[in-house]
Amino acid sequence: MDPLHITEFGSERYLEKVQQSQAQTQANASKGQGAVSTLLQSPFILPIRESGATGSDVGAKSNEQKRPEKKGFSSWRNRFTKPPAVPSSSICEQPERRPSLPESTTKQPLPFDHLFAALPNELQVEIIASLPLSDVLNLRLASKSLHALVSLNEVPITRYHLDHHIPAYAKRLYPLPQGRSLNFHYLCGIWHRLHVAAKLSHLMCQLIIREQLLLNTEEKRRQYAPQTERMRRRLIPILFTVFHFFETYRKLHLKYMAEHDGFGLSKTPYTVNPIEAEIMNMYDDRTLLRVHEAFPLVIWAFCRRLRPPSYVGRVERSLRGYLKERPPDEVHVAVLCLGGMREVLRLWEVKGYNARRAAVDAWYESILHEQPVEPEPKRRRGMLGLKRKKSSFNMGKTNGHGHEAQHGANDVSAARGKQPDSLVFHTSLAAGMPMAALSKDESKLLYPDLPVLQRIWLVTAEAMILDRKIVERPAHIHRNAQVFTDLISESGIDEEDQWLYGTTAPESVRPNLDAIEEDPDE
């Protein structure tokens, strides 16, 4: 059909429709821009379609009253009266947005171990170095990669702890040996001595409060807590120096006897003990004077710990069950000179006087006599002497203790001239703890040549103090009550921290007080 023929039948209607369509197009364009701005502000943004029709347009068209038209005419009209499309410029101005994903499908954060492993090695070492030393050592047990990371970076980790956590007086007494690099053995040795000194300091304070100051109630101890804390802090450097004295004394005593063909100090005339004088030359004037003033208090506390809890008499001790007397002086000297302060702490922590006294006797017998070898128990035979033969395939497997296979592999590797297959043997900590137990031969060699208890340190130290002119007269050395006054005094705390710690006292060396409990009957 010709278009002119269509116009004759509905020209007026056609022009009206065209005008309405143009007006509707302009309205749709303005509404489309408003819809775009609304969609941009909405948190849930859907993809924008290219069609210009919206929901309001559909509603407007549905509300119009439609005239019944012929089917053929409507199909031809839709071909010539298509609504104009939305300009491409308006579509380009609308940014495309991705639909927001639900919370369940969002990316979960990575765990800390994955984030830590993604860091460079330098940052990993810096993070590990800032941890406490116990955590650094335990970190080696997590995996072989962390063990290798910590073991290969002993030098920076040790240097960080020496600069931030080790007090100055400890580094003065234990400087790094010449020709050796920083390692964990050197650092852990200092921390071991500090820990022993800290625990003994706390135990001594409790004994002094109970025996000397007679503060037997919780209220009195609570009121005296500031003085107790100052005394504990001042005793730690003193006990640390005493640890160094007995540790070095044992080494130099063995060296002296080796140089003199086995003849010790008991067969050598002297006015000042040469071994003690050599050790005290390592101390500055202030350290020597402070330790000399407090040394009788240290010896008193240790000897008092090995006495029965009551001084009343034999009858009361019998009623309470304290049958043994205190050990003789040579036992105290052997514990101090051969065992050192670590052995003093071990015996101090034994609960109950009878158990503690038995532990002292057992240790004293162990350094003088060989331990009897227990006979191996006979193996039980099966019925009629018949038993199943073990397979050679299972010989290397673990037994109930789970160590046969590892020991077997270590023995084989040791027989071949190789180190055992253990990560510990590839680190500096394989050298062992400081002031380890002496051998039987060394103990038997030193025991007859030990000094008298009343002459350890005191005679030599006082002679050197006067010779150095640290004090003018022996009466100027503080004793007894003056020592207690110096330990609990409030004056000079900041100056002492500067001298002892280098800057201020760090929060360290405080023992686990929950693990230290006194006997209720003492």
Side-chain angles (χ1 to χ4, degrees):
M1 183 180 294
D2 192 1
L4 296 176
H5 184 67
I6 297 174
T7 305
E8 292 179 357
F9 287 98
S11 58
E12 296 180 357
R13 183 61 178 172
Y14 178 78
L15 293 175
E16 182 181 356
K17 286 291 185 179
V18 170
Q19 294 176 358
Q20 291 180 359
S21 178
Q22 293 177 356
Q24 189 67 29
T25 301
Q26 296 177 358
N28 291 341
S30 61
K31 291 180 180 179
Q33 295 179 357
V36 171
S37 62
T38 304
L39 291 174
L40 291 176
Q41 297 176 359
S42 176
F44 303 98
I45 301 176
L46 299 176
I48 300 176
R49 300 176 182 177
E50 296 181 358
S51 174
T54 59
S56 59
D57 300 338
V58 176
K61 291 182 179 180
S62 61
N63 293 331
E64 293 181 356
Q65 295 181 358
K66 298 183 179 180
R67 291 185 179 182
E69 298 179 352
K70 295 182 180 180
K71 185 175 181 180
F73 177 79
S74 61
S75 61
W76 281 99
R77 188 187 66 179
N78 292 334
R79 294 183 182 181
F80 295 97
T81 61
K82 289 183 178 181
V86 179
S88 59
S89 60
S90 63
I91 299 176
C92 297
E93 293 177 357
Q94 300 174 0
E96 294 186 0
R97 295 280 182 171
R98 293 184 178 180
S100 61
L101 298 177
E103 296 182 359
S104 60
T105 60
T106 57
K107 189 176 181 180
Q108 297 293 336
L110 294 176
F112 175 77
D113 54 345
H114 290 75
L115 297 175
F116 181 78
L119 294 175
N121 290 339
E122 294 79 4
L123 295 180
Q124 293 181 4
V125 173
E126 187 174 354
I127 293 174
I128 293 175
S130 62
L131 298 175
L133 181 59
S134 58
D135 294 341
V136 174
L137 298 179
N138 291 331
L139 194 63
R140 303 178 308 156
L141 305 176
S143 64
K144 289 186 177 181
S145 59
L146 288 175
H147 187 282
L149 179 64
V150 173
S151 301
L152 294 176
N153 294 276
E154 291 188 16
V155 176
I157 296 175
T158 304
R159 185 182 294 110
Y160 180 89
H161 281 264
L162 288 176
D163 295 340
H164 294 84
H165 301 294
I166 301 300
Y169 65 85
K171 290 182 284 188
R172 287 194 295 262
L173 292 179
Y174 292 94
L176 184 67
Q178 298 293 333
R180 291 178 54 185
S181 60
L182 296 174
N183 52 34
F184 284 151
H185 184 264
Y186 170 70
L187 180 63
C188 293
I190 294 180
W191 271 116
H192 175 79
R193 300 175 181 99
L194 283 172
H195 184 69
V196 172
K199 294 188 72 174
L200 280 175
S201 175
H202 173 76
L203 294 171
M204 280 187 59
C205 291
Q206 299 301 317
L207 183 64
I208 291 171
I209 288 174
R210 186 175 63 252
E211 297 289 341
Q212 296 291 333
L213 304 178
L214 302 178
L215 303 178
N216 298 324
T217 62
E218 292 294 334
E219 182 63 26
K220 292 181 180 179
R221 294 179 183 178
R222 190 180 302 108
Q223 295 176 359
Y224 204 76
Q227 292 85 343
T228 304
E229 178 62 21
R230 288 193 292 269
M231 180 167 52
R232 186 194 71 86
R233 286 184 56 187
R234 287 190 170 103
L235 281 175
I236 291 176
I238 295 173
L239 291 171
F240 187 86
T241 308
V242 174
F243 192 113
H244 174 268
F245 172 77
F246 285 113
E247 181 181 11
T248 312
Y249 184 89
R250 193 177 70 172
K251 295 178 182 178
L252 295 180
H253 201 169
L254 288 172
K255 180 181 177 182
Y256 182 88
M257 298 189 71
E259 293 175 352
H260 293 77
D261 298 331
F263 294 97
L265 298 174
S266 60
K267 299 182 179 181
T268 303
Y270 63 87
T271 56
V272 176
N273 191 319
I275 300 177
E276 295 181 350
E278 184 178 355
I279 300 173
M280 294 176 187
N281 285 328
M282 304 178 186
Y283 306 148
D284 57 273
D285 295 346
R286 186 171 182 176
T287 301
L288 182 61
L289 180 60
R290 292 289 300 275
V291 176
H292 177 66
E293 293 175 346
F295 192 84
L297 180 63
V298 176
I299 300 300
W300 168 84
F302 173 58
C303 295
R304 177 66 189 90
R305 184 63 176 171
L306 297 185
R307 291 197 188 104
S310 176
Y311 285 104
V312 174
R314 188 182 300 274
V315 176
E316 183 179 350
R317 290 200 300 267
S318 299
L319 293 176
R320 291 180 176 271
Y322 307 139
L323 302 179
K324 291 186 178 181
E325 297 289 340
R326 72 177 187 87
D329 290 345
E330 55 266 21
V331 177
H332 294 85
V333 175
V335 174
L336 291 170
C337 296
L338 301 182
M341 302 306 291
R342 189 166 62 87
E343 191 64 31
V344 170
L345 176 62
R346 188 187 70 84
L347 296 175
W348 194 310
E349 290 182 327
V350 177
K351 305 302 180 184
Y353 173 73
N354 292 332
R356 185 163 54 253
R357 189 68 177 79
V360 173
D361 294 340
W363 180 86
Y364 187 70
E365 290 294 330
S366 66
I367 65 171
L368 298 179
H369 305 286
E370 296 288 343
Q371 294 292 336
V373 180
E374 297 181 359
E376 184 180 359
K378 295 182 179 181
R379 298 180 180 179
R380 296 182 60 184
R381 290 189 174 185
M383 185 179 299
L384 300 178
L386 301 177
K387 56 183 180 179
R388 188 178 65 178
K389 184 179 180 180
K390 292 184 179 180
S391 174
S392 59
F393 177 77
N394 297 325
M395 291 299 291
K397 293 187 177 181
T398 60
N399 58 0
H401 299 285
H403 297 296
E404 275 190 358
Q406 183 67 25
H407 290 318
N410 293 342
D411 295 340
V412 173
S413 59
R416 295 178 181 178
K418 299 180 180 180
Q419 290 181 338
D421 189 13
S422 175
L423 295 175
V424 178
F425 287 91
H426 300 282
T427 62
S428 62
L429 295 178
M433 68 176 63
M435 200 172 182
L438 293 174
S439 62
K440 298 293 182 181
D441 297 335
E442 293 173 341
S443 299
K444 292 181 179 179
L445 182 64
L446 292 180
Y447 177 74
D449 200 52
L450 295 178
V452 182
L453 179 63
Q454 289 75 17
R455 296 182 63 88
I456 298 177
W457 175 283
L458 298 177
V459 178
T460 306
E462 186 166 345
M464 295 191 67
I465 289 173
L466 296 177
D467 185 54
R468 292 187 191 180
K469 297 182 179 180
I470 302 175
V471 295
E472 296 180 358
R473 300 170 54 189
H476 294 166
I477 299 175
H478 293 177
R479 307 179 191 276
N480 301 332
Q482 293 177 336
V483 175
F484 284 109
T485 304
D486 295 339
L487 291 176
I488 65 177
S489 176
E490 296 183 9
S491 61
I493 290 291
D494 297 335
E495 191 268 338
E496 288 180 358
D497 289 343
Q498 181 68 28
W499 172 61
L500 293 174
Y501 297 95
T503 52
T504 56
E507 186 66 25
S508 63
V509 300
R510 178 183 290 274
N512 185 9
L513 303 183
D514 297 336
I516 304 175
E517 297 178 358
E518 293 295 328
D519 298 332
D521 56 348
E522 297 180 13

